[in-house]
Amino acid sequence: VSEVGDSGLSVYERLIGEDRVSGRLYTDPAVFEREMERIHHRGWMFVGHESELAEPGEFVTRRLGRQPVLLTRDDTGVVRLWSNRCPHRGATVCALDQGQTRFFRCPYHAWTFDNAGALVALPGEEGFGPTFDRDMHGLAPVPRMDTYRGFVFGSWSHEGQTLLEHLGDARNLIDRACDVSPVGEISLRAGWLRHRIGANWKMAAENVCDFYHPPITHGSSGLMGGVPPGYFSDAYGGLTRDLGGGHGEVDYRHTEGGSQTGLGPHGFIFPNLFIEASSIFVIQPVSVGEMTHLQTPITWVGLPEEMQRPQSRRFAMAFGAAGVIEPDDAATWERMQLGLQAGEPEWVMLERGVQFDDTREGRALDEIVMRGFWRHYRSLMTDKAAVR
Amino acid sequence: MSGIEELLEQQRVEQLLFLEAQLIDGRRFAEWEALWVADGIYWVPANGDDTDPRRQVSLIYDNRSRMHNRVERYAGGKAISQQPPPRTAHLVSNVTIKPTESDEVVGGDVSLIVHSAVHVAESRPGVRVDWAGRVIHHLVERQGALQIVFKKVMLVDNDQELTTIDFLL
């Protein structure tokens, strides 16, 4: 175990400056372990969308942090979030990514649970004696689950801020994504592309509101022809906004080309959700040097097909492991992961537009959202109340 | 069709598939594009083999202009993920010609349906990946030559997390 993991909380105060962070935060396994404990296995994280479970009995399996979870809609229509783990001996009770079922049966001893999590059958129950209580052996719910406009979030912590408190000003991103639809509803039923990338999860998080990189990283994509000239420059007039709580957005609504790159907002909800105009991305940490980047296109309920089609075409072309945008981001993050193995210089620089930090709003290319991310990250990694 | 004719047709089809593999591995993209008819579709489904590409996400669902955009990007020297370009070797096998009236005809203008299997060995810096899948080609006879109307690559792991695919399958 390295010095970073072992030593006191103040180490993180030193590793995370106002305009720079240590490269070790992307490469040290001990940092990753602490992140899992203090961020992904404690705070609120996006896990799925209610529309993925539109029908009773529909389910999806995901990871919440590193832990396998099962999101279900029971026969009465209630959405629930479980550990995907048999309470008997621990096998996953569901091996599929998604589907529809009334029952989940463990493969080991056939303990069987209904889609409301109750243990409803097990072989040889009488052998467990008269005190055996099925009610004590249902699926274990994830301690907290809550939804906002169909977006389902989970937390492994029994206590802490509410989902609405966690979302804070970032609620507006979800509102705007939904309100593209005339009835205020989105649907995510096209399935997910899951891209495994050899880089630390924070590189994807920071990249969301990095409008400095697109013309360079994505210059080959053929999609730059779709944005107005000079779009990715400060002069064009877009704004980048630190929404607090690690959340942030880039906002072009007030500019001439404001509606040209997609219909919804472009923003990040800490620590794992990226709403990209007409797509949803989830950043899934795997290890200090690996992540999975999940992506799916948004369908807006009630919006005419001809308004949706260009967006779904753009998704199909750009994203996933074989898109023309995503592989260049992935390659860049993988190059960063390699480069940061060099311990000198110590710092990764995030200084662009630091003079606007007081207002939490900068020019389009400023690194203001990244600094907001790190301030929130630092508060979580050094939170003394979180030490157990 | 006589036994000899069947043999010749089998060989002709195999030679086309082998040529396609060699053009891809040799990064001879213009020649690869020339194998296709103007309204060709190149499809790599995700999350299963029999999805609806208009409603479900696919890894690749390219018409000809997108195919062109894709290979232009490979050849253009600007893409970060092509620095250096991945090196690939395609092994094509199990080539079988199916009767056209049999199964999955998408358009009217198809002379031959060909099933095969492909194994692609990919190498790029620090990464060595093996890809495998079943492949369906729809071919059409045009001025005495076979051209590709439709190609569907069903990767065995298309329902799993996948690393970058920045080459032609």
Side-chain angles (χ1 to χ4, degrees):
Chain A
V1 181
S2 76
E3 176 205 328
V4 170
D6 278 351
S7 54
L9 299 172
S10 60
V11 169
Y12 286 88
E13 303 280 7
R14 193 184 69 75
L15 294 178
I16 304 165
E18 281 305 310
D19 65 353
R20 64 194 65 196
V21 299
S22 168
R24 292 169 64 188
L25 295 165
Y26 304 87
T27 59
D28 189 329
V31 171
F32 183 80
E33 290 303 317
R34 190 185 282 255
E35 288 169 350
M36 289 302 104
E37 180 197 324
R38 287 173 165 262
I39 298 172
H40 296 83
H41 294 160
R42 186 181 305 274
W44 288 103
M45 274 188 305
F46 175 74
V47 65
H49 192 269
E50 287 184 338
S51 62
E52 298 182 77
L53 328 151
E55 303 292 324
E58 286 195 312
F59 65 85
V60 299
T61 56
R62 295 277 148 79
R63 283 178 186 276
L64 195 59
R66 277 187 297 200
Q67 306 184 44
V69 295
L70 172 61
L71 183 64
T72 62
R73 187 183 290 276
D74 73 18
D75 284 348
T76 66
V78 179
V79 173
R80 301 164 185 275
L81 183 60
W82 312 99
S83 287
N84 184 7
R85 168 188 163 154
C86 181
H88 179 213
R89 295 279 289 278
T92 56
V93 295
C94 181
L96 302 174
D97 293 322
Q98 61 173 91
Q100 188 170 20
T101 187
R102 297 197 64 197
F103 301 104
F104 299 96
R105 176 172 296 161
C106 177
Y108 200 178
H109 304 96
W111 284 31
T112 302
F113 307 87
D114 67 16
N115 54 27
L119 175 61
V120 292
L122 67 160
E125 185 176 6
E126 63 285 355
F128 287 87
T131 59
F132 183 81
D133 182 359
R134 284 187 187 181
D135 290 347
M136 300 296 288
H137 296 84
L139 293 179
V142 170
R144 289 192 299 166
M145 186 206 88
D146 201 355
T147 66
Y148 183 72
R149 298 195 69 169
F151 288 70
V152 182
F153 294 79
S155 161
W156 290 109
S157 173
H158 290 271
E159 56 208 26
Q161 55 181 189
T162 64
L163 176 62
L164 287 185
E165 286 166 351
H166 164 72
L167 292 176
D169 291 342
R171 254 184 293 178
N172 181 250
L173 297 173
I174 296 178
D175 289 337
R176 276 152 53 201
C178 294
D179 291 340
V180 173
S181 150
V183 295
E185 261 182 68
I186 67 162
S187 172
L188 305 183
R189 288 187 73 86
W192 295 83
L193 295 176
R194 296 182 293 170
H195 187 198
R196 178 62 71 94
I197 300 167
N200 186 272
W201 67 274
K202 296 189 291 298
M203 294 171 185
E206 291 179 294
N207 192 64
V208 169
C209 293
D210 183 325
F211 268 38
Y212 189 16
H213 84 283
I216 301 132
T217 309
H218 305 301
S220 73
S221 70
L223 296 183
M224 288 303 142
V227 297
Y231 190 78
F232 293 103
S233 68
D234 290 332
Y236 197 82
L239 296 170
T240 180
R241 194 172 294 129
D242 169 11
L243 296 172
H247 319 304
E249 70 170 323
V250 180
D251 186 357
Y252 272 68
R253 281 176 294 175
H254 55 284
T255 68
E256 207 175 310
S259 61
Q260 292 191 24
T261 51
L263 297 177
H266 182 111
F268 176 69
I269 297 183
F270 189 91
N272 70 335
L273 175 62
F274 170 21
I275 302 177
E276 193 277 336
S278 46
S279 317
I280 299 285
F281 291 70
V282 178
I283 301 165
Q284 172 70 61
V286 175
S287 67
V288 70
E290 278 181 302
M291 75 178 110
T292 304
H293 208 206
L294 295 90
Q295 31 216 294
T296 194
I298 295 173
T299 300
W300 292 281
V301 179
L303 197 72
E305 184 82 12
E306 60 271 21
M307 289 183 72
Q308 314 243 19
R309 205 175 301 121
Q311 305 301 325
S312 63
R313 282 211 194 103
R314 178 172 162 274
F315 179 92
M317 178 113 194
F319 299 131
V324 300
I325 289 274
E326 172 81 9
D328 285 322
D329 281 322
T332 305
W333 304 335
E334 288 173 351
R335 292 268 295 268
M336 290 166 74
Q337 195 69 28
L338 281 175
L340 288 170
Q341 302 299 322
E344 295 291 338
E346 175 169 11
W347 303 106
V348 169
M349 299 308 301
L350 299 165
E351 65 205 318
R352 197 179 197 281
V354 74
Q355 66 271 29
F356 302 115
D357 276 9
D358 289 344
T359 64
R360 303 207 320 192
E361 189 172 273
R363 303 161 299 181
L365 275 57
D366 286 337
E367 288 153 344
I368 206 160
V369 175
M370 286 155 250
R371 289 189 296 274
F373 171 92
W374 283 106
R375 266 194 296 279
H376 185 65
Y377 176 98
R378 185 174 57 194
S379 76
L380 297 174
M381 296 293 269
T382 59
D383 178 9
K384 292 187 175 59
V387 178
R388 281 183 291 190
Chain B
M1 196 182 278
S2 73
I4 293 286
E5 282 166 340
E6 279 179 22
L7 212 60
L8 288 172
E9 182 164 75
Q10 173 77 23
Q11 199 197 357
R12 187 173 177 226
V13 164
E14 286 181 357
Q15 288 303 312
L16 176 72
L17 266 55
F18 296 163
L19 173 64
E20 189 200 5
Q22 285 166 5
L23 295 179
I24 292 171
D25 292 335
R27 298 177 66 79
R28 292 155 62 186
F29 298 123
E31 290 166 82
W32 178 77
E33 282 194 82
L35 298 179
W36 288 80
V37 297
D39 53 353
I41 295 284
Y42 166 42
W43 182 25
V44 184
N47 302 320
D49 296 341
D50 298 311
T51 60
D52 176 353
R54 286 178 180 79
R55 300 198 169 278
Q56 302 299 120
V57 291
S58 295
L59 287 158
I60 295 170
Y61 191 68
D62 282 358
N63 58 17
R64 279 289 285 108
S65 90
R66 283 196 182 174
M67 280 183 239
H68 180 69
N69 185 273
R70 183 177 295 280
V71 299
E72 226 181 16
R73 182 173 164 280
Y74 293 164
K78 270 164 84 183
I80 285 91
S81 56
Q82 295 281 323
Q83 296 172 8
R87 284 164 57 86
T88 58
H90 284 60
L91 279 76
V92 178
S93 185
N94 305 6
V95 180
T96 314
I97 301 170
K98 299 283 180 186
T100 43
E101 65 273 19
S102 66
D103 41 11
E104 62 294 301
V105 181
V106 285
D109 191 17
V110 174
S111 315
L112 288 168
I113 295 174
V114 181
H115 288 200
S116 62
V118 69
H119 170 220
V120 185
E122 179 206 4
S123 174
R124 55 193 161 89
V127 179
R128 175 68 178 78
V129 187
D130 284 292
W131 303 86
R134 293 180 298 122
V135 184
I136 297 172
H137 282 83
H138 291 182
L139 305 177
V140 65
E141 183 92 41
R142 289 276 165 83
Q143 283 105 40
L146 288 174
Q147 284 199 294
I148 305 169
V149 178
F150 172 79
K151 178 181 180 183
K152 178 181 178 185
V153 182
M154 296 167 282
L155 293 172
V156 293
D157 46 3
N158 70 17
D159 57 348
Q160 303 295 312
E161 300 177 354
L162 299 172
T163 54
T164 294
I165 305 170
D166 215 30
F167 52 88
L168 298 167
L169 282 162

